[in-house]
Amino acid sequence: MKKQDIHALESIEKIQNYNSYIFEKIYNKGLSKKVLDFGCGYGIFSEYLKKKFNFEVIGYEVNPEALKKLKVKGIKTISSLDKYEASFDYIISMNVLEHIKDDEIMIKDLNTLLKDNGRLILYLPNSMKVWTDLDNLVGHYRRYTKKDLLSKLDRGGFATLSWEYVDFIGWVVLYLSKLLRINLNYDEKRLTNYDKYIFKLFKYLDIFFKYFLGKNILVVCSKKN
């Protein structure tokens, strides 16, 4: 795992207000008891589902450093998907597909892992207008647009049930940093301050902007029959 990837995962663990907000949004999409957390990183969301709701969660991860953390946390983890065809009611993937060069192939692969009428929940970075050096730093291939993402899901065998933009204030912060040429990185102090003093206060703007603009897009889709 690259050094910047480790910093990113460690920093993400610290933004508690943001994580609680996103996790609750995803949970409220109606999860079942058996979930695959695809690209689970350090297992923050897996741990949330396991401890708070006693879900049966399997994390898929391939990075050695992350796997060590997941083992310590007691999260069941797999590093190969070969034996899991039609095994899951729900697959959740948060900020993963943008790291995969051919995301359309991966979307089709995720489809095969779901049971009939199974659901896929994706939380992904939105809007190339806020592409910054931070995207390059962590190895993003793209930020999504709603049109492009929903088209890829359709071609991958999914019907979109709902979508919404998330973190409007995050989009504003990225856009301003780009205009002002501020060099962004996964600085723990900067992220925790953003979480405590900006996101916590301004997250309610999502109520008004969720169909217009946000740093991320949250999509729920169902496997086509």
Side-chain angles (χ1 to χ4, degrees):
M1 185 184 289
K2 296 178 181 178
K3 186 177 180 180
Q4 58 263 33
D5 294 334
I6 295 173
H7 287 166
L9 289 174
E10 289 175 346
S11 299
I12 287 167
E13 284 192 303
K14 308 295 183 182
I15 48 176
Q16 297 180 3
N17 292 308
Y18 182 86
N19 288 338
S20 296
Y21 178 73
I22 302 305
F23 294 172
E24 186 175 346
K25 269 187 173 293
I26 293 175
Y27 173 74
N28 286 336
K29 298 302 179 182
L31 301 183
S32 70
K33 290 287 184 181
K34 189 169 184 180
V35 176
L36 175 67
D37 187 358
F38 179 78
C40 61
Y42 281 177
I44 308 169
F45 185 64
S46 296
E47 198 171 29
Y48 169 83
L49 291 179
K50 182 180 175 183
K51 287 185 175 180
K52 191 166 183 177
F53 303 106
N54 198 31
F55 274 27
E56 180 186 352
V57 185
I58 297 176
Y60 171 80
E61 187 53 64
V62 295
N63 284 312
E65 291 298 323
L67 288 169
K68 291 177 186 176
K69 285 259 188 178
L70 292 164
K71 186 176 181 180
V72 170
K73 290 181 175 181
I75 296 170
K76 183 178 180 181
T77 312
I78 58 175
S79 297
S80 173
L81 299 170
D82 294 340
K83 299 177 182 179
Y84 289 90
E85 185 173 337
S87 295
F88 300 99
D89 301 304
Y90 275 84
I91 297 174
I92 298 160
S93 186
M94 300 174 64
N95 295 320
V96 175
L97 290 185
E98 69 273 17
H99 295 273
I100 298 173
K101 188 172 184 179
D102 196 332
D103 56 344
E104 291 206 58
I105 288 177
M106 183 52 67
I107 288 170
K108 290 175 183 177
D109 288 344
L110 293 175
N111 188 288
T112 67
L113 300 174
L114 284 167
K115 297 177 182 178
D116 289 344
N117 298 313
R119 295 190 178 185
L120 172 66
I121 300 178
L122 297 174
Y123 183 76
L124 297 167
N126 173 61
S127 181
M128 286 299 293
K129 289 182 179 179
V130 290
W131 180 277
T132 67
D133 287 340
L134 193 59
D135 293 284
N136 294 320
L137 182 68
V138 296
H140 288 178
Y141 283 99
R142 67 196 71 81
R143 298 184 71 88
Y144 287 88
T145 66
K146 184 194 77 171
K147 181 179 179 181
D148 182 49
L149 177 57
L150 298 193
S151 294
K152 288 181 177 183
L153 288 168
D154 180 60
R155 292 193 294 270
F158 289 99
T160 298
L161 302 177
S162 68
W163 66 270
E164 63 183 275
Y165 295 122
V166 182
D167 194 9
F168 171 75
I169 190 61
W171 189 95
V172 172
V173 169
L174 283 180
Y175 189 69
L176 289 175
S177 69
K178 187 173 182 177
L179 285 179
L180 298 173
R181 299 185 179 182
I182 297 172
N183 184 29
L184 296 177
N185 54 51
Y186 279 100
D187 178 83
E188 184 177 314
K189 186 175 181 180
R190 181 186 290 174
L191 280 174
T192 53
N193 283 337
Y194 168 78
D195 187 54
K196 289 179 181 178
Y197 304 115
I198 298 177
F199 181 78
K200 186 178 180 179
L201 179 62
F202 291 101
K203 64 184 179 182
Y204 302 105
L205 291 174
D206 282 1
I207 296 170
F208 307 102
F209 289 98
K210 67 178 183 177
Y211 296 122
F212 297 98
L213 194 61
K215 180 174 66 65
N216 291 79
I217 183 168
L218 174 61
V219 176
V220 181
C221 49
S222 176
K223 182 173 181 175
K224 293 179 183 177
N225 294 323

